[in-house]
Amino acid sequence: MTPISDIHQVVFNMLLKYYNKDNDFLFVMRHLNRGGRLDKGYWFLGNDYYVSVSFWAGLDKKTRSPRVSFVILGDGTTYLELNNNSSINFFSVYFLKELKFTSENYGVYRKDFSEYGKDYLSSLEAFIDNEKLQIDKYVRNKSHQYDNILEVGGIDFVWPNTFNYQLEKIKGYQKIRKEKAKKTGYLRYLNIKKFGKIENLIIKDIPVGCRWIFLTGENGAGKTTILRALASAMLNNNDHENAVSKDDNEFNVQIGLETINGVSKTTVKGSNDFRNKEKLVKGFATYGPVRLISQGTLVDDLINLDKNGISSLYTYGLFNPIGILRDISGSYILNVRPKYYEIELHRFLENIEQNLEIILPNVQKVNVVMSDKGREILYHQGKPVPGGITEGVKFNELPSGTRNFAALILDLLLRFAEQQGDVADISNYVGIVLIDEIDLHLHPKMQKEIIIQLAETFPNIQFIVTTHSPIPLLGAPSNSIFINVTKNEKNEICAKILDIDISNLLPNTILTSPIFNFEELINENHDHTQPLITEDDFTDAMFYKILEKKIKENSIKPLK
C-alpha cells in the first residue's frame, strides 16, 4: 500500500510536466488546509485512502467532491468517476455511453482504468490521452448553452488565475515539507524476531529527531547482530542469499521510520526476496569494525570484486571480516549528464578536498592528484612548515587511526553522492548510517572528535553505532540515546533504552553507569595502603601528590 502523500507528490510532478509543456493544461488542486491536509502533502482532493484528480471546476454540493475526477486508491486501483446527479443531467446518456462507463449507481458513473496500464501513472496517462480530450471537447460545446455552467450542475475549465494562485500556494507547502523531510527517515521503532540469537527484541519510543543511537554492551552481547538485523530490514532484504540473510531465512524484522505524517512501520522477512526493490531509507551505508582497507590500496586477488573494484553490496563490510571502502582512485564515475560531467566532477572533488581538510584531525591540506591509477589523494599532515605545507603522503602511509577516520568519511561522501546525486551541499544528505565499533583504532581524542565531525558534517543523517568506550559519548549531540545490549538466562539478546543524562558526567562516571556497568575503576596494581588520586585533571593530581609528599617530608611547615 503506497502512502497517499507519495501518490499526491508523484501525480503532481507528472501533471506539472504536462503544464510546463503546455500552459493550457490546467488541473484542480486543494484550496484549503482543512484538517491539515496540505501539511500532510495532500495536493489534490480526497482523503487518507484515495486521491481525487480533476481537470475541471465544479464540485458536487452534497459530497464536496469533483463532479468529474480520476480516482487513485492507495493500492493502485484507478477509475474515472462522474457525478451526473444534477437537475439538468449535464452529461447526456449518449455521451456517457460513448465514454463506455461500466457501472452506475444513483447518477454516479464509474469506469475502471486499472487495466489501462501497469500502474496508476500509466492509467492516468491513458486517461489524459483519450477520455480527457473527449470530455474537454464536450464541455467546450456545452459551455455555449449556459451563462453560468457551474451553477446548473455542470463543469467548466479551470481559470488560469485560480490555477496560478493555487500552484504557488502548493509550492509553498512543498518547500516547508522538503525542509521537514530532512529530519525524517530516522529509526523510531524496532522489533526483531528470530534473527541470530535474537528471539523477540523490541525497542520503541526512540525520540523524534534523534540523530545518534549508541549501542553498548559487553563483547558477545549482540550489538553487531542488531546492526545486521537493521541493515537487512532497511535494505528490504536486497542482499538476499548473499551477505545478509543466507543463514537467517526465518527472520522477521519490523522497523518504524519517522515520516512527516508520523511513524511508518514496515515488516521485512528473511524468506522474502526483494532484490532490485528500493531500500526503505533514501540514503544508507554500513561499516564493520575493519575500516583500514580502501579501494585504491586493495590487492587485486584478495577478494572477488565487481567491475569497479569493490563489492556492490551495501552491507558487505558489516557482514564480512574485511570491509573495503570506496575512494576516488581510478576513474571515479559521477552520475551526471556527459555534457556537465567534467564541471560537476571538478566541483565534487573540490568539495571532497575541502571537507576532508576540515574533518580530519592533524591533516593540514588534502589534494586530489592524477596518478598512474587515475586519481589519488595526498594528505599533508601536521603543522605548516617554513615556506609552505608538509609533503603529502598517500592513504596507506597515514597512521591507522587517521586511515580509519579518512576512509570512513570518504566512503560515506562517495556512497551518498551516488545515492543522492542531486544534492548540492553534502550537509543536506539524508539517511541512516550503521557503524560497528566506531571507537576502534582511534586515540581517545579522535574517538570524541569523530562523533563531533560526523554530527556537524552530516546534520540530517541518523547514526546508529556500537562502542566499548565512554569517550565517543562525550561528543554526542544533546538528543542522543543509549541502548544497553545484554543476554538473558536463555542466552537470548535483549536491549533497553537507558534514561541517563551524560551532559555533566566524566568518563569514569559514565563507565560505572548502566551504560557500561563497570563495577570498579581501580588499577590492579593499586597499593591499598595508599589513598586513591581522585582529581579529574592529571596536572592537578600530580601537583597534590607532590604537595602531599613534601608535607610528609616536613619540607613544608604549616603556618602558625
Side-chain angles (χ1 to χ4, degrees):
M1 184 75 73
T2 305
I4 288 295
S5 59
D6 288 357
I7 295 178
H8 278 273
Q9 188 61 52
V10 171
V11 171
F12 181 87
N13 292 342
M14 171 188 166
L15 298 185
L16 202 59
K17 288 181 179 179
Y18 276 91
Y19 170 72
N20 290 333
K21 291 180 180 178
D22 177 7
N23 289 158
D24 291 328
F25 184 92
L26 307 180
F27 48 92
V28 178
M29 290 167 279
R30 185 181 290 273
H31 286 260
L32 302 175
N33 192 30
R34 186 176 177 82
R37 298 294 193 189
L38 290 174
D39 292 329
K40 294 181 179 180
Y42 293 6
W43 312 133
F44 306 98
L45 293 177
N47 57 25
D48 294 337
Y49 306 100
Y50 72 91
V51 180
S52 181
V53 184
S54 182
F55 300 88
W56 306 273
L59 292 178
D60 178 69
K61 293 181 179 179
K62 290 183 179 180
T63 63
R64 304 301 299 169
S65 60
R67 289 192 179 119
V68 179
S69 61
F70 189 89
V71 178
I72 305 171
L73 303 184
D75 63 1
T77 300
T78 56
Y79 58 85
L80 174 63
E81 183 172 275
L82 186 150
N83 190 326
N84 199 41
N85 199 22
S86 64
S87 58
I88 67 162
N89 288 323
F90 180 78
F91 288 99
S92 67
V93 174
Y94 173 79
F95 185 70
L96 293 173
K97 288 183 178 179
E98 190 177 339
L99 287 179
K100 298 179 181 178
F101 279 96
T102 56
S103 64
E104 184 269 335
N105 187 21
Y106 298 105
V108 178
Y109 296 79
R110 285 186 177 179
K111 179 178 181 177
D112 183 24
F113 266 79
S114 298
E115 297 181 359
Y116 277 61
K118 60 182 179 180
D119 52 35
Y120 65 85
L121 280 186
S122 301
S123 299
L124 179 55
E125 285 178 350
F127 166 73
I128 291 172
D129 293 338
N130 297 282
E131 283 79 0
K132 179 184 180 298
L133 298 179
Q134 291 178 267
I135 297 173
D136 282 347
K137 182 178 179 181
Y138 187 85
V139 173
R140 195 173 291 111
N141 293 332
K142 276 282 187 180
S143 63
H144 298 298
Q145 301 178 22
Y146 304 97
D147 293 333
N148 194 335
I149 200 169
L150 297 180
E151 289 297 322
V152 296
I155 62 174
D156 200 355
F157 296 108
V158 178
W159 286 20
N161 286 347
T162 301
F163 175 84
N164 290 328
Y165 171 78
Q166 200 57 29
L167 180 61
E168 291 305 311
K169 185 176 181 179
I170 296 297
K171 286 183 176 180
Y173 276 96
Q174 288 181 335
K175 185 176 181 180
I176 293 171
R177 281 179 63 83
K178 189 174 182 180
E179 287 302 311
K180 288 182 178 178
K182 292 178 182 179
K183 305 297 181 183
T184 62
Y186 295 169
L187 182 69
R188 294 281 307 284
Y189 172 88
L190 172 64
N191 185 4
I192 307 171
K193 297 179 181 178
K194 298 188 180 301
F195 192 102
K197 293 293 183 180
I198 300 176
E199 188 62 28
N200 187 13
L201 183 151
I202 299 177
I203 297 291
K204 56 183 179 179
D205 298 328
I206 297 173
V208 175
C210 173
R211 291 181 45 233
W212 279 82
I213 298 175
F214 291 85
L215 301 179
T216 65
E218 297 183 20
N219 289 332
K223 302 183 295 298
T224 301
T225 302
I226 293 176
L227 291 186
R228 290 176 174 178
L230 277 172
S232 302
M234 290 177 182
L235 277 181
N236 247 338
N237 200 16
N238 258 311
D239 287 350
H240 183 67
E241 293 181 352
N242 216 318
V244 176
S245 56
K246 58 185 178 182
D247 297 322
D248 291 287
N249 288 327
E250 300 304 316
F251 75 76
N252 181 310
V253 180
Q254 184 182 57
I255 60 172
L257 296 175
E258 188 175 322
T259 70
I260 293 177
N261 301 325
V263 177
S264 174
K265 293 183 179 180
T266 304
T267 299
V268 177
K269 299 180 180 180
S271 56
N272 295 340
D273 187 353
F274 292 96
R275 276 175 293 189
N276 300 320
K277 301 293 183 181
E278 289 188 3
K279 54 189 182 298
L280 300 184
V281 290
K282 187 175 182 181
F284 187 66
T286 68
Y287 300 95
V290 179
R291 302 183 290 271
L292 296 176
I293 301 176
S294 69
Q295 188 177 351
T297 60
L298 187 66
V299 177
D300 292 338
D301 59 357
L302 181 61
I303 193 166
N304 292 325
L305 303 174
D306 63 15
K307 63 181 181 180
N308 297 315
I310 195 165
S311 173
S312 60
L313 297 179
Y314 282 96
T315 56
Y316 182 84
L318 189 60
F319 285 81
N320 292 274
I322 299 176
I324 304 148
L325 280 68
R326 298 180 182 226
D327 60 28
I328 57 171
S329 62
S331 299
Y332 179 74
I333 303 300
L334 199 63
N335 187 25
V336 296
R337 287 179 293 173
K339 182 178 178 180
Y340 301 105
Y341 179 79
E342 290 300 329
I343 296 174
E344 291 300 322
L345 179 62
H346 177 72
R347 289 175 181 169
F348 180 72
L349 295 178
E350 271 192 342
N351 205 338
I352 292 288
E353 291 175 336
Q354 292 168 3
N355 278 281
L356 287 179
E357 287 173 7
I358 295 171
I359 295 168
L360 296 179
N362 302 321
V363 172
Q364 176 194 353
K365 189 169 179 59
V366 171
N367 286 122
V368 177
V369 299
M370 298 303 296
S371 70
D372 54 351
K373 293 183 179 180
R375 294 183 192 87
E376 64 182 354
I377 297 178
L378 294 182
Y379 300 85
H380 303 268
Q381 302 179 87
K383 298 178 180 180
V385 297
I389 59 176
T390 57
E391 184 178 355
V393 299
K394 298 179 181 179
F395 174 80
N396 57 1
E397 299 175 87
L398 292 170
S400 60
T402 306
R403 266 190 292 157
N404 177 301
F405 205 155
L408 186 148
I409 295 292
L410 182 56
D411 182 276
L412 186 54
L413 288 170
L414 295 176
R415 287 185 185 274
F416 273 68
E418 292 169 359
Q419 297 173 55
Q420 301 172 37
D422 58 336
V423 176
D425 188 339
I426 65 170
S427 66
N428 290 325
Y429 286 149
V430 296
I432 294 179
V433 173
L434 312 179
I435 306 176
D436 198 12
E437 299 194 39
I438 194 167
D439 54 288
L440 201 63
H441 309 295
L442 300 179
H443 182 277
K445 279 187 178 181
M446 216 176 274
Q447 290 180 23
K448 177 183 177 181
E449 187 68 19
I450 192 172
I451 306 298
I452 295 172
Q453 292 298 340
L454 286 173
E456 291 185 355
T457 306
F458 306 103
N460 298 304
I461 291 177
Q462 184 184 51
F463 290 88
I464 305 174
V465 305
T466 73
T467 183
H468 292 107
S469 168
I471 308 300
L473 278 56
L474 301 179
S478 58
N479 60 347
S480 304
I481 66 167
F482 313 102
I483 298 177
N484 189 241
V485 183
T486 58
K487 282 187 176 177
N488 62 17
E489 62 278 359
K490 297 180 181 179
N491 202 36
E492 297 169 348
I493 298 172
C494 307
K496 66 176 181 179
I497 297 178
L498 301 175
D499 184 15
I500 295 179
D501 179 9
I502 67 164
S503 58
N504 297 314
L505 300 183
L506 293 171
N508 280 3
T509 313
I510 296 174
L511 276 173
T512 55
S513 75
I515 296 176
F516 291 99
N517 288 316
F518 210 115
E519 295 180 0
E520 61 177 26
L521 299 172
I522 301 175
N523 193 304
E524 286 295 314
N525 299 316
H526 168 61
D527 182 352
H528 292 278
T529 63
Q530 300 294 320
L532 286 168
I533 298 174
T534 58
E535 280 74 26
D536 297 325
D537 183 87
F538 182 78
T539 304
D540 289 346
M542 292 300 98
F543 171 78
Y544 286 115
K545 184 175 181 180
I546 295 170
L547 181 62
E548 184 180 7
K549 181 180 178 182
K550 294 293 184 181
I551 292 174
K552 286 183 179 180
E553 294 174 349
N554 294 318
S555 59
I556 297 179
K557 296 181 180 180
L559 294 174
K560 293 183 180 179

